[in-house]
Amino acid sequence: MMKETAQAHANIALVKYWGKRDEQLILPTNSSLSMTCDGLLTKTTIAFSKQYTQDTLTINGKIASQGDKNVFGHLERMRHLAGVRLNAKIVSESNFPVAAGLASSSSGLAALTLAAMQALGLKKSEKELTILARQGSGSASRSMCEGFAVWHRGTKKDGTDSFAETIATKNNWKEFRMIATVVSEEKKHIGSRSGMAQSMKTSPYFATWVNAAEEDCTRMQEEIAKKDFEAVGMRAEQNALKMHAVMISTNPPIIYWIPKTIAVMEAVQELRAEGIPAYFTIDGGPQVKIICLEKNVSTISKKIKSVEGVLKTIVCKPGDGASVVADHLF
Ligand code: PMV
């Protein structure tokens, strides 16, 4: 039996990806920049065998529907590359709520890509793996990489220059922290795929967003190289708000925030007014991720846990890229 297991961490974007220039190949309208988070881990085992009469996928103990286009479409793509026709059994486990705005698709599709390619016997470089993972879910390209990663938008039609790479390793900025604050464990109501397409079609701010985000990505790479925490934090917060302005101005509107989201955003602003450098970022869901330095984690965590409705906080350091591991889930 061809069976392999891989693990990958979710990444949280500091400069967001929202918009595709090619829906099939998943090519973005702007480059993005993220931190791979050591506290948000997905592990996936895949086996291909004649024994299986159909493809199956189990995520955190629940059987997923065959309609999950991201996963099954991606599986088919990789099988096609290898010229293999066997059905697959996939079991995936994450140590955090999935599909709730904690970037589970980034770690999930990255782990699946690596495990499947390994099981199919196709050896690829990290760059090639980021290109392949990108076609499963855009943000998964960045989860292949250690530490801080940039996913280049690229300009080629075939997507060969739209890949992700590490721009700073986890040891380059050891003090950097991301506190993922969970305010709801419900599945999000609008997926990123349809949300982005709708924003491109209807938000009057979309073109402005693309230019601003590209500029943010260039500037933030310089700020990370200088380890200028306040510049990175401020730019990340501003960039997230620009993306949410596009989402909110989409027709019909895409509003991921709930009252508890705003309560945490306010708490972060209060911390800053008290002289503690803390910034927030938010993705396609109600959770708020707080960007800070190690020395301020306990003060910030204490304040955030006192906000009514905060269910959980997960403190993350810059983490490792995806890797093949030996302990299978079945
Ligand atoms: O890769 P997707 O399709 O899950 O899109 C991710 C979109 C955001 O999380 C909102 C932004 C980002 O860059 O991760």
Side-chain angles (χ1 to χ4, degrees):
M1 192 190 286
M2 301 147 81
K3 181 171 174 179
E4 292 288 345
T5 300
Q7 65 178 32
H9 298 94
N11 70 79
I12 301 296
L14 299 169
V15 176
K16 310 292 185 190
Y17 143 59
W18 194 255
K20 293 179 177 63
R21 65 183 169 90
D22 184 316
E23 294 245 0
Q24 285 309 314
L25 290 172
I26 309 200
L27 298 174
T29 45
N30 65 274
S31 306
S32 53
L33 192 159
S34 63
M35 182 184 110
T36 296
C37 295
D38 77 334
L40 305 174
L41 183 69
T42 300
K43 203 183 202 189
T44 300
T45 300
I46 187 165
F48 294 92
S49 165
K50 275 199 289 223
Q51 252 170 260
Y52 305 138
T53 52
Q54 58 172 352
D55 292 327
T56 56
L57 167 66
T58 307
I59 300 176
N60 286 354
K62 284 202 194 103
I63 296 174
S65 101
Q66 288 276 334
D68 191 328
K69 255 179 75 188
N70 277 17
V71 173
F72 292 107
H74 195 50
L75 174 65
E76 194 44 39
R77 179 178 297 116
M78 293 188 284
R79 239 183 332 226
H80 183 76
L81 277 176
V84 168
R85 297 270 18 111
L86 302 169
N87 286 319
K89 173 176 174 178
I90 308 168
V91 175
S92 184
E93 268 166 28
S94 294
N95 66 352
F96 59 95
V98 298
L102 279 178
S104 57
S105 70
S106 67
S107 51
L109 271 296
L112 173 67
T113 303
L114 185 56
M117 292 305 274
Q118 191 77 12
L120 292 165
L122 294 177
K123 294 266 176 289
K124 296 275 174 193
S125 66
E126 183 179 288
K127 180 178 170 179
E128 288 167 327
L129 285 168
T130 73
I131 289 177
L132 193 56
R134 185 202 78 212
Q135 296 169 66
S137 182
S139 59
S141 62
R142 301 183 308 233
S143 274
M144 284 291 173
C145 307
E146 181 199 333
F148 298 85
V150 167
W151 169 21
H152 302 281
R153 73 179 284 282
T155 52
K156 290 191 184 160
K157 259 190 132 97
D158 66 0
T160 48
D161 58 351
S162 186
F163 64 95
E165 63 178 336
T166 296
I167 54 147
T169 65
K170 59 179 189 175
N171 288 329
N172 286 148
W173 206 346
K174 285 189 188 149
E175 310 77 20
F176 200 99
R177 293 290 179 277
M178 182 90 72
I179 308 177
T181 303
V182 181
V183 295
S184 165
E185 298 205 348
E186 267 172 47
K187 239 181 137 163
K188 58 185 169 190
H189 51 287
I190 311 162
S192 53
R193 210 167 271 237
S194 57
M196 282 180 206
Q198 200 60 20
S199 290
M200 282 187 78
K201 265 194 247 147
T202 63
S203 170
Y205 306 139
F206 191 78
T208 310
W209 153 253
V210 170
N211 292 330
E214 199 60 38
E215 167 83 13
D216 281 339
C217 195
T218 307
R219 295 278 156 268
M220 197 181 286
Q221 289 180 65
E222 297 158 8
E223 291 156 0
I224 288 179
K226 282 191 250 160
K227 297 217 279 187
D228 183 344
F229 177 74
E230 310 219 340
V232 170
M234 186 49 88
R235 192 178 297 281
E237 188 175 297
Q238 282 291 314
N239 180 270
L241 290 170
K242 287 175 214 171
M243 176 182 73
H244 284 272
V246 171
M247 292 167 163
I248 291 166
S249 59
T250 295
N251 186 11
I254 304 169
I255 304 176
Y256 287 117
W257 301 353
I258 58 174
K260 288 180 251 176
T261 310
I262 297 170
V264 178
M265 287 157 77
E266 278 174 350
V268 171
Q269 277 165 343
E270 278 164 28
L271 280 162
R272 228 157 50 219
E274 289 158 20
I276 305 212
Y279 301 87
F280 61 76
T281 184
I282 308 167
D283 292 281
Q287 331 300 358
V288 181
K289 292 91 179 189
I290 301 163
I291 299 155
C292 64
L293 291 171
E294 183 185 14
K295 61 180 182 211
N296 296 315
V297 164
S298 63
T299 314
I300 297 170
S301 296
K302 206 167 145 219
K303 167 122 183 162
I304 298 302
K305 282 179 187 158
S306 73
V307 176
E308 211 189 307
V310 168
L311 305 174
K312 197 181 330 181
T313 56
I314 307 164
V315 181
C316 300
K317 300 178 195 165
D320 290 315
S323 59
V324 175
V325 293
D327 46 334
H328 302 313
L329 292 172
F330 63 90

